[in-house]
Amino acid sequence: MMERVPTGIPGLDELIDGGFPKGSIILLTGTCGTGKTLTSLQFLWQGLQRGENGVYISFEEPIEGIRESAREFGWDFERAEKEGKLVMLRYNPFRAEDILELIASSVRRINAKRLVIDSISALGMYIRDPTEVRRVIFNLVINIYKLDCTTILTSEMLPDQRELSRFGVEEFLVDGVIVYYYTRIDSYFARALTIWKMRFTQHSQKIHPYRITKNGVVVYPQEESALSPRIG
């Protein structure tokens, strides 16, 4: 039986056989403001509560801002860092070759079991050649598999984008894809997600609502959303 890693997201594990497959790489993709970073932080916090060290690599936001956001939900990442249970780093990927060593050394240093890279879309800000970006992402994913971590990659989608990922290659390299929607329905905006794919998993194929609460992201697995995805 496939060993599962609980996500720490109430309701989500019910949609994916109890959690992410251990050692898998999962892509969280969606437009800005859908809660991808929050989900990844919640995933790391759940790991810390289970004695699983974690690494968070930001390609965009300053780490202090991430720490402050986490504190709003009662997650004391700064303390975990001081205790050597968590590594949080911001890196501007001007040199693609340095990314792999940065991630690998951080994971090895604290024997991390959970890894977050937020967001790989930022690679396009530093690497202009689309072919080179895809090569870097391919090498990144291949090398992450060697680290024995359960990993979340986040990816930003443009509002009118129909593809699952910014560079058109990410979804084919990973084990699972979760798509976040934030769309207007009549006079209000609603959030929903769907499990686009998840290897080794009998996952839900429906669109489920979720909310961002004072405790983090909460998914409602027994409900279906009225949102109609435009991807595909």
Side-chain angles (χ1 to χ4, degrees), residues 18 25 27 33 42 59 77-78 80 93 126 130 140 166 169 185 197 209 214 218 230:
I25 301 177
L27 179 71
Q42 204 165 336
F59 287 159
F77 282 169
E78 193 167 8
Y126 303 96
L140 179 65
R166 180 67 64 88
V169 67
I185 301 179
K197 79 171 185 178
K214 64 179 182 179
V218 176
R230 300 177 60 188

Side-chain angles (χ1 to χ4, degrees), residues 84-132:
K85 299 176 181 178
L86 177 68
V87 172
M88 302 186 77
L89 297 171
R90 183 177 187 270
Y91 179 73
N92 294 333
F94 291 107
R95 284 177 51 82
E97 296 80 5
D98 295 341
I99 299 172
L100 301 177
E101 180 55 34
L102 172 72
I103 295 170
S105 62
S106 299
V107 168
R108 289 194 296 263
R109 176 149 49 96
I110 62 169
N111 190 29
K113 295 302 178 184
R114 299 192 182 208
L115 169 64
V116 169
I117 300 175
D118 183 23
S119 121
I120 57 174
S121 299
L123 290 172
M125 297 170 54
Y126 303 96
I127 307 172
R128 297 299 184 180
D129 182 2
T131 301
E132 177 65 9

Side-chain angles (χ1 to χ4, degrees), residues 2 7 23 26 30 48 99 108 121 133 141 161 167 176 209 216:
M2 173 64 63
T7 65
I26 308 300
L48 293 172
I99 299 172
R108 289 194 296 263
S121 299
V133 173
V141 171
Q161 182 177 330
F167 306 112

Side-chain angles (χ1 to χ4, degrees), residues 201-227:
T201 303
Q202 294 294 322
H203 61 82
S204 170
Q205 297 182 336
K206 299 177 181 178
I207 303 174
H208 299 273
Y210 71 94
R211 295 193 181 102
I212 296 177
T213 73
K214 64 179 182 179
N215 297 315
V217 174
V218 176
V219 180
Y220 299 90
Q222 304 305 320
E223 301 178 24
E224 292 186 47
S225 174
L227 294 182

Side-chain angles (χ1 to χ4, degrees), residues 40-57:
S40 66
L41 294 176
Q42 204 165 336
F43 169 74
L44 287 177
W45 184 251
Q46 168 72 9
L48 293 172
Q49 307 317 296
R50 294 170 54 87
E52 300 169 2
N53 294 348
V55 171
Y56 176 90
I57 305 292

